[in-house]
Amino acid sequence: IVGSPPDPSGSSSATFDFTSNEPLATFECRVDGAAWATCSNPATFNGLTDATHTLDVRARDLAGNADQTPASYTWLVDTAPPDTSIVSGPPAQTSDVNATFLFSATEGGGSYECSLDGASYDPCTNPVTFGPFADGAHTLNVRAVDTAGNADPTPASSAWTVDTVAPDTGVVSGPPSVTNSASADFTFMSNEGGATFECSVDFGAWAACSNPVTVGPLADGAHRLDVRAKDGAGNIDATPATYTWTIDSA
């Protein structure tokens, strides 16, 4: 047998080429132990099921002598594509310009092909790291390819947004500069929607705070509130907004 399908094969057809030490010999074939039958050279066999198959072939010379040690070839037919999953990847919003992914497939031993932001599919490792990315929305599609060459027709997909720009924070409202109230109500704003806020009162530790927020009760004297926005990608305003006021209840 000088020509044969790959093992494994993603095709339900298989073509073979034969040779004999007697140039005018003819050939007889059998597939999976069936009866011997005359076959052409090359010979194509169709309609093979997904399973392991064996072809036996023997030459017969002009005198009718048949090879007593037929040539044999065994291969696996696998026409079913694998299914691909993304096990892990970046969060939906991130300040990291690189992205690491881990994949899995329903068939072991294969490989993966990746497409970034609509580009063509190229081989990729598992796990794989891509980047650096520009700020904005990005999409990865990945498909598993099994050892028979079948590619997943429904690739797995992951979408995320890279945001490396910190938000800006402002204090919209607060107490009057001098007040007799021991508590103070504040509202904030950020130039990025969906941002959360962290507050520091009188240079204390930063802590998450609601918007609006009530601070106090506080003692008489001068006070200061610092507030900074934190966006969905984890970027924190490096120049917090500041508000000062004095409490005088006497």
Side-chain angles (χ1 to χ4, degrees):
I1 298 175
V2 294
S4 59
D7 179 29
S9 169
S11 174
S12 60
S13 298
T15 298
F16 292 85
D17 289 291
F18 317 125
T19 187
S20 171
N21 61 340
E22 296 194 26
L24 298 180
T26 57
F27 296 94
E28 297 174 341
C29 299
R30 66 179 180 185
V31 176
D32 298 335
W36 290 101
T38 300
C39 54
S40 60
N41 184 27
T44 297
F45 304 92
N46 299 307
L48 299 168
T49 59
D50 279 22
T52 298
H53 299 279
T54 299
L55 172 75
D56 298 312
V57 57
R58 64 187 182 189
R60 186 178 293 276
D61 64 19
L62 294 179
N65 302 298
D67 184 354
Q68 297 304 299
T69 56
S72 183
Y73 183 81
T74 298
W75 76 107
L76 173 67
V77 172
D78 175 12
T79 62
D83 190 46
T84 316
S85 299
I86 297 176
V87 178
S88 63
Q93 287 186 299
T94 179
S95 59
D96 193 342
V97 296
N98 297 309
T100 298
F101 294 88
L102 179 67
F103 315 128
S104 69
T106 52
E107 295 185 38
S111 59
Y112 294 92
E113 295 177 343
C114 295
S115 167
L116 278 172
D117 295 335
S120 60
Y121 281 91
D122 291 310
C124 52
T125 60
N126 183 32
V128 64
T129 298
F130 297 105
F133 291 100
D135 278 23
H138 300 279
T139 302
L140 172 75
N141 292 314
V142 57
R143 63 188 183 191
V145 181
D146 64 22
T147 54
N150 301 299
D152 184 357
T154 57
S157 183
S158 176
W160 74 104
T161 299
V162 175
D163 176 8
T164 62
V165 179
D168 192 40
T169 317
V171 176
V172 177
S173 65
S177 60
V178 179
T179 177
N180 62 3
S181 175
S183 298
D185 295 324
F186 293 89
T187 57
F188 316 126
M189 58 79 63
S190 171
N191 62 339
E192 291 193 32
T196 57
F197 296 91
E198 295 177 343
C199 295
S200 168
V201 178
D202 295 336
F203 303 100
W206 290 100
C209 54
S210 60
N211 183 28
V213 67
T214 298
V215 175
L218 300 172
D220 278 20
H223 296 281
R224 168 173 166 153
L225 173 76
D226 292 297
V227 58
R228 62 189 185 186
K230 182 178 181 180
D231 65 21
N235 302 297
I236 297 176
D237 185 357
T239 57
T242 298
Y243 192 94
T244 59
W245 77 106
T246 298
I247 297 175
D248 178 6
S249 63

